[in-house]
């Protein structure tokens, strides 16, 4: 069932006994979202999926306008994967008036991906807090692909005592390693060849993990430098080895978990990817 208003969502939500798992999305669903819904389905009696392109987390109007909107196909995917309820509100339903109170993600939202997209994580965390309030889930499922978002949502749930268990689901990749994303559909075949450098750099870094953090960055860097000279070129934003919980860069000689994260632009399309590593 699809509902478009908060009132209808709450009415239908109240009819769901047992544990409810929530998969927040911005639509344009692909195999990565199917994996989230399947994982949600395995962990709870009921699954609610939201489809909402959140204007608050977009910096540029053009990026928001360009974001793919495919609600009919999204609803079909949700039904195929067994999600009972799809919440697809309008922007006016979610933001009936300008917000006076919103979520600030602080330092965590300003570094790495946040430095490239000022305000993005505040807008993301604000809508996630609102969606949690609307859906009242027991668990919520987020892709590892957006590793910094995942870290911030964990802190959001803990710091504000939202009582929602945050579950991470591994990134789904194409056979050649390219991470799935709703934005991939914008890439020309030539841009996709350049964009493949992101995952190739991450895999090169992973192959050097036994030699330590510096070796990982040294192995990944040249793959991205080559892509920066390709036609079309990669405009690299960052390559970082970060603490998965705080997203601060790990010190040299670091032992324990880390995330190797990369972002860049090919043509008009921004791509991000990451790999969790253990030192
Ligand atoms: O990852 C996304 O699709 C979005 O950032 C989210 C979590 C649905 C919030 O708008």
């Amino acid at each position: 069932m699809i509902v478009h208003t908060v009132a209808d969502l709450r009415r239908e939500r109240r009819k769901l006994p047992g544990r409810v798992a929530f998969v927040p999305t911005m639509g344009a669903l692909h195999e990565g979202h199917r994996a989230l819904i399947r994982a949600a389905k395995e962990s709870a009696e009921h699954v609610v999926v939201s489809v909402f392109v959140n204007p608050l987390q977009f910096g540029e109007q053009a990026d928001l306008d360009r974001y793919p909107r495919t609600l009919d196909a999204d609803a079909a995917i949700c039904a195929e994967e067994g999600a009972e309820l799809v919440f697809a509100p309008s922007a006016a339903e979610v933001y009936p008036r300008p917000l006076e109170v919103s979520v600030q993600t602080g330092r965590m939202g300003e570094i790495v991906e946040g430095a490239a997209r000022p305000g993005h994580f505040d807008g993301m965390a604000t809508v996630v807090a609102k969606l949690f309030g609307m859906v009242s889930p027991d668990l919520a499922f987020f892709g590892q692909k957006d590793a910094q978002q995942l870290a911030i949502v964990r802190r959001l749930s803990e710091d504000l005592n939202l009582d929602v268990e945050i579950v991470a689901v591994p990134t789904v990749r194409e056979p050649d390693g390219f991470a799935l994303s709703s934005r991939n559909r914008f890439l020309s075949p030539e841009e996709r060849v350049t964009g493949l450098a992101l995952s190739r750099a991450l895999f090169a870094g992973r192959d050097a993990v036994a030699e330590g953090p510096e070796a990982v960055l040294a192995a990944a860097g040249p793959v991205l430098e080559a892509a920066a000279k390709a036609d079309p070129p990669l405009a690299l934003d960052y390559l970082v080895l970060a603490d998965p919980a705080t997203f601060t860069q790990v010190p040299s000689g670091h032992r324990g978990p880390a995330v190797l994260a990369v972002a860049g632009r090919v043509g008009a399309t921004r791509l991000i990817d990451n790999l969790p590593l253990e030192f």
Side-chain angles (χ1 to χ4, degrees):
M1 172 187 276
I2 300 197
V3 292
H4 299 281
T5 67
V6 177
D8 286 350
L9 170 69
R10 291 215 166 107
R11 192 192 59 242
E12 294 305 320
R13 165 69 180 88
R14 276 195 289 272
K15 293 180 191 164
L16 301 178
R19 277 163 56 95
V20 169
F22 177 41
V23 181
T25 81
M26 296 206 300
L29 303 186
H30 49 65
E31 274 304 318
H33 296 105
R34 283 188 192 265
L36 291 173
I37 299 171
R38 277 181 213 141
K41 192 82 191 149
E42 279 168 19
S43 313
E45 279 76 40
H46 305 283
V47 177
V48 178
V49 178
S50 65
V51 175
F52 178 60
V53 182
N54 174 35
L56 224 57
Q57 69 188 77
F58 284 81
E60 294 163 25
Q61 182 68 34
D63 195 25
L64 172 63
D65 294 343
R66 187 174 182 249
Y67 203 85
R69 287 158 171 88
T70 57
L71 183 57
D72 290 346
D74 295 342
I77 287 175
C78 290
E80 276 168 35
E81 297 300 341
E84 278 88 350
L85 203 50
V86 177
F87 177 45
S90 66
E93 180 71 14
V94 176
Y95 301 111
R97 58 186 179 178
L99 294 178
E100 199 65 54
V101 178
S102 61
V103 177
Q104 306 295 307
T105 54
R107 179 95 187 106
M108 262 185 105
E110 288 167 2
I111 55 177
V112 192
E113 184 69 8
R117 304 180 68 189
H120 166 71
F121 285 122
D122 287 354
M124 179 282 296
T126 297
V127 86
V128 168
K130 282 169 74 68
L131 289 166
F132 282 4
M134 294 168 185
V135 176
S136 301
D138 298 288
L139 314 95
F141 288 70
F142 290 82
Q144 172 65 38
K145 163 104 184 342
D146 294 293
Q148 194 172 356
Q149 166 172 285
L150 175 64
I152 290 173
V153 168
R154 285 193 196 286
R155 285 301 296 259
L156 171 77
S157 188
E158 287 169 21
D159 289 358
L160 301 186
N161 297 87
L162 300 183
D163 201 22
V164 178
E165 184 188 331
I166 308 302
V167 184
V169 177
T171 302
V172 178
R173 298 181 180 279
E174 303 209 33
D176 62 4
F178 209 114
L180 294 194
S181 161
S182 304
R183 294 173 197 265
N184 290 357
R185 68 189 68 197
F186 297 132
L187 295 170
S188 70
E190 296 77 20
E191 288 173 339
R192 191 186 179 286
V193 170
T194 298
L196 193 56
L198 269 68
S199 55
R200 284 184 42 239
L202 297 178
F203 298 143
R206 182 182 60 190
D207 289 346
V209 79
E211 293 146 59
E214 283 80 12
V216 164
L217 291 168
V223 181
L224 300 168
E225 282 157 28
K229 293 182 193 134
D231 181 20
L234 169 72
L236 183 67
D237 263 343
Y238 58 79
L239 170 71
V240 291
L241 201 45
D243 181 314
T246 62
F247 252 73
T248 52
Q249 295 197 30
V250 299
S252 66
H254 169 78
R255 290 266 153 243
V259 178
L260 183 61
V262 63
R265 196 175 281 272
V266 185
T269 306
R270 192 148 187 289
L271 298 170
I272 64 170
D273 199 357
N274 72 84
L275 271 186
L277 300 176
E278 185 69 34
F279 288 98

